[in-house]
Amino acid sequence: MKILFTKSLDRKKVSEKLGADFLVDFVEVIHTEFIKTKTFGLKNSSLIFTSVNGVKAFFENGFSANENFAEPKNYNKIYAVGSQTKKELRKHNFGTFKLCKNANELSNFITENSVNEKFLHFCGNIAIDILDEKLPLQNISYRKIPVYRTELLYPKIDEKYQAIVFFSPSGVRSFAKFNNLENMKIFSIGKTTTSELEKLTDNKIITSSKNTLADILNLISKESSIF
């Protein structure tokens, strides 16, 4: 079984997890680079991170959050989407006030519980618009701070695969420009990526709920019996 991952990963680890029945290939469909951003004060702001790159670029640019509860006027609540984003924050010794599986869940939580906060969203230049569309409608202060840039690479794949794995909406758009999804099993990390795929195909999309590589590999292994 030949399966294509739309992201460069450790071939040995992936092959060991999936077993000898799978032949794995990898293709980069997007490229990201940090945007040099002048730092500014974050006093009285709640911070939103929806990707690992957003966290990395935040600290690369020299920003720093304040999680000291003893300073309520300067305290920054941190909201995160995805366990990998939370894990990246932990590497920088920062916790998470609220962790959500996707942007829609985060939007619902904020509108129900945090309407009086001022939000800064450190994200990519083509970040999903769910928060941008929903929060201002509820008169919630929300501002995007682009700290990294995503370039779509639009690869043309001539090889034939029986299955493909997607990791982001932008990755879906990049791949779909010159390739189709016919006759392939489709695996997706997260509901947001799946929503993008649903615009392009009526094929069944097998979605990982935990937004992690380990979870998607487990899902592929479990679904292998359907091939």
Side-chain angles (χ1 to χ4, degrees):
M1 179 56 55
K2 294 180 69 174
I3 184 167
L4 179 65
F5 290 80
T6 55
K7 184 178 184 179
S8 294
L9 301 168
D10 188 314
R11 181 181 298 274
K12 183 178 179 180
K13 288 183 179 179
V14 172
S15 297
E16 286 177 350
K17 177 63 180 178
L18 295 182
D21 291 336
F22 287 88
L23 295 176
V24 299
D25 278 334
F26 309 94
V27 61
E28 288 287 358
V29 294
I30 62 174
H31 170 73
T32 60
E33 61 180 18
F34 296 159
I35 298 172
K36 188 173 180 58
T37 306
K38 186 176 181 180
T39 59
F40 53 86
L42 304 177
K43 183 178 179 180
N44 298 327
S45 296
S46 295
L47 313 182
I48 296 175
F49 297 96
T50 50
S51 68
V52 171
N53 281 324
V55 177
K56 289 181 177 179
F58 175 86
F59 290 105
E60 181 76 15
N61 274 296
F63 286 100
S64 181
N66 181 5
E67 287 194 300
N68 186 352
F69 289 98
E71 300 179 27
K73 291 185 178 181
N74 294 321
Y75 172 66
N76 301 120
K77 287 183 180 178
I78 298 178
Y79 296 75
V81 169
S83 58
Q84 295 304 301
T85 305
K86 178 181 179 180
K87 185 177 180 180
E88 188 65 31
L89 284 161
R90 179 53 60 192
K91 289 180 183 178
H92 295 274
N93 299 313
F94 284 94
T96 304
F97 171 75
K98 179 62 180 179
L99 174 66
C100 293
K101 292 181 180 179
N102 52 62
N104 191 59
E105 182 181 312
L106 177 58
S107 173
N108 290 337
F109 178 86
I110 290 173
T111 55
E112 292 172 6
N113 301 279
S114 310
V115 294
N116 294 320
E117 295 176 31
K118 296 180 180 180
F119 290 91
L120 297 176
H121 181 189
F122 291 87
C123 57
N125 63 312
I126 54 174
I128 51 179
D129 293 326
I130 292 173
L131 297 170
D132 203 7
E133 291 173 353
K134 291 188 175 182
L135 298 189
L137 289 177
Q138 302 298 322
N139 294 318
I140 297 172
S141 176
Y142 170 82
R143 177 186 170 196
K144 278 184 179 179
I145 312 294
V147 287
Y148 70 93
R149 182 179 295 104
T150 299
E151 177 188 1
L152 307 189
L153 300 179
Y154 304 121
K156 179 69 172 70
I157 309 299
D158 296 320
E159 192 80 16
K160 300 298 182 183
Y161 294 92
Q162 286 75 48
I164 186 167
V165 186
F166 289 100
F167 297 87
S168 68
S170 55
V172 172
R173 293 192 292 272
S174 175
F175 181 86
K177 185 175 180 67
F178 295 121
N179 307 279
N180 65 61
L181 300 170
E182 293 179 10
N183 303 316
M184 283 198 288
K185 295 292 181 183
I186 303 172
F187 293 89
S188 165
I189 283 190
K191 291 183 179 180
T192 307
T193 302
T194 294
S195 294
E196 191 69 26
L197 283 161
E198 288 173 341
K199 300 175 185 177
L200 303 171
T201 180
D202 293 326
N203 289 7
K204 178 182 177 182
I205 302 166
I206 304 163
T207 306
S208 167
S209 60
K210 294 184 180 178
N211 293 19
T212 65
L213 177 60
D215 193 54
I216 198 72
L217 293 178
N218 285 333
L219 193 56
I220 294 169
S221 295
K222 290 178 182 178
E223 293 285 337
S224 61
S225 60
I226 67 178
F227 295 119

